[in-house]
């Protein structure tokens, strides 16, 4: 992806911070659109169709969480949050809402630029993967429609967040193959994750709960190794 084709929506109410970040991003050849409150962020998101969003947490009109939630209802656009908040529950709830990454203020501009590059590389990779003719994946009662971004179990549609969807998709690409937590973190989150190392386990638990009995047992924990999918019949034989 050429930098000139990348449009970044910068949502930040502090003018000094915004103008500094904007200057640095433009120096890297990115296009930058600046919104100084949550309402403008949503307006500009619709009008400008940004490639990526840098989102401050504490904002006038709507706060960053509200903006994140509203955008996630209609788009998977990468969002990096810039936040002075660092309590674990705030961050993990934002990650659950589909936040891609975050940086705690004050941050080094070099680190922000590095995170942006990682997110853009992941986006590029996803676009390339979408070019392959795979349109659906199936394993037992589990089915994924890759075009519509829908997940089904036993013909019933189950709502998954973007990260949950990416995780189950990754497992369903090679269902019988064991994938380690590191491998899954790398593919789905795409960087050296700074959060808790049990992130994958937390997401797997949520997906299992959404699938419910009896099919949740298809997602198998391979102790000390990671996760894979196994047909229910195989599970029964072993237990
Ligand atoms: Ca602020």
């Amino acid at each position: 992806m050429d930098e000139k084709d990348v449009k970044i929506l910068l949502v930040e109410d502090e003018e000094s911070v915004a103008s500094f970040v904007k200057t640095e991003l433009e120096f890297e050849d990115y296009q930058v659109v600046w919104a100084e409150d949550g309402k403008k962020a949503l307006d500009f998101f619709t009008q400008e169709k940004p490639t990526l969003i840098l989102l401050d947490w504490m904002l006038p009109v709507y706060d960053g969480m509200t903006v994140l939630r509203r955008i996630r209802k209609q788009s998977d656009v990468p969002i990096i949050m810039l936040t002075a908040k660092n309590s674990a529950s705030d961050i993990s709830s934002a990650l659950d809402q589909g936040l891609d990454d975050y940086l705690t203020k004050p941050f080094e501009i070099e680190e922000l630029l590095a995170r942006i590059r990682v997110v853009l590389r992941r986006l590029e990779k996803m676009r390339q993967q979408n070019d392959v003719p795979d349109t659906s994946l199936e394993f037992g009662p589990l089915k994924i429609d890759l075009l519509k971004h829908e997940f089904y179990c036993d013909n019933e549609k189950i709502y998954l967040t973007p990260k949950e969807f990416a995780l189950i998709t990754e497992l369903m690409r090679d269902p019988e193959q064991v994938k380690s937590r590191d491998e899954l973190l790398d593919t789905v989150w795409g960087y050296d994750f700074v959060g808790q190392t049990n992130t994958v386990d937390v997401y797997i638990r949520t997906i299992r709960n959404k699938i419910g009995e009896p099919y949740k047992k298809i997602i198998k924990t391979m102790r000390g190794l990671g996760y894979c999918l196994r047909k229910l019949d195989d599970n029964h034989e072993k237990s």
Side-chain angles (χ1 to χ4, degrees):
M1 211 179 299
D2 195 37
E3 281 83 4
K4 288 190 178 65
D5 300 329
V6 174
K7 191 190 276 184
I8 297 178
L9 173 57
L10 170 64
V11 189
E12 170 63 67
D13 58 321
E14 278 166 66
E15 202 174 341
S16 58
V17 178
S19 100
F20 169 68
V21 173
K22 186 170 186 288
T23 307
E24 292 289 333
L25 292 175
E26 283 171 347
F27 185 74
E28 298 292 318
D29 268 348
Y30 298 120
Q31 300 176 51
V32 183
V33 180
W34 174 38
E36 73 252 45
D37 64 50
K39 165 96 174 56
K40 288 208 173 85
L42 292 172
D43 291 346
F44 288 169
F45 167 71
T46 314
Q47 291 160 19
E48 302 282 344
K49 305 197 176 11
T51 322
L52 177 125
I53 301 176
L54 298 178
L55 181 60
D56 186 24
W57 192 306
M58 306 295 272
L59 286 168
V61 195
Y62 305 129
D63 69 0
M65 265 309 258
T66 308
V67 173
L68 170 70
R69 249 185 242 122
R70 294 208 183 166
I71 289 178
R72 272 294 169 263
K73 278 189 186 156
Q74 42 177 317
S75 164
D76 286 344
V77 62
I79 301 179
I80 300 176
M81 235 165 174
L82 309 174
T83 170
K85 289 200 175 193
N86 51 10
S87 94
S89 70
D90 287 332
I91 296 295
S92 67
S93 111
L95 290 168
D96 281 344
Q97 303 281 339
L99 180 66
D100 293 270
D101 199 356
Y102 66 92
L103 268 182
T104 308
K105 289 178 175 178
F107 51 83
E108 297 288 330
I109 193 74
E110 283 308 323
E111 181 163 15
L112 175 63
L113 295 173
R115 301 282 182 109
I116 290 173
R117 284 193 294 271
V118 170
V119 165
L120 291 176
R121 269 203 300 276
R122 191 156 73 234
L123 195 65
E124 184 80 11
K125 205 176 143 197
M126 271 166 61
R127 283 184 183 168
Q128 283 166 1
Q129 280 177 356
N130 285 344
D131 287 343
V132 304
D134 257 357
T135 55
S136 70
L137 298 169
E138 263 189 87
F139 185 76
L142 307 184
K143 192 177 168 199
I144 283 178
D145 184 326
L146 292 168
L147 295 179
K148 291 191 192 149
H149 244 248
E150 288 172 349
F151 175 65
Y152 295 85
C153 177
D154 206 16
N155 293 319
E156 203 176 308
K157 189 163 145 187
I158 294 175
Y159 172 77
L160 297 179
T161 65
K163 283 280 181 280
E164 289 160 7
F165 186 85
L167 185 55
I168 192 71
T169 303
E170 196 49 34
L171 288 171
M172 283 184 58
R173 283 192 193 279
D174 317 279
E176 311 267 358
Q177 192 188 314
V178 179
K179 305 244 167 136
S180 71
R181 289 175 177 78
D182 280 348
E183 221 178 319
L184 292 168
L185 270 180
D186 223 50
T187 325
V188 177
W189 280 265
Y191 55 99
D192 290 330
F193 195 58
V194 284
Q196 300 96 324
T197 48
N198 67 349
T199 302
V200 174
D201 308 85
V202 173
Y203 275 77
I204 291 281
R205 201 179 311 142
T206 314
I207 298 171
R208 277 183 184 141
N209 287 340
K210 287 184 178 181
I211 291 174
E213 296 287 1
Y215 300 118
K216 66 191 224 179
K217 293 196 188 77
I218 291 173
I219 306 177
K220 209 154 164 46
T221 308
M222 307 301 282
R223 202 170 285 266
L225 296 173
Y227 293 98
C228 71
L229 303 184
R230 287 277 190 270
K231 294 261 166 67
L232 270 195
D233 303 343
D234 298 347
N235 279 335
H236 290 153
E237 278 164 28
K238 275 165 202 153
S239 58

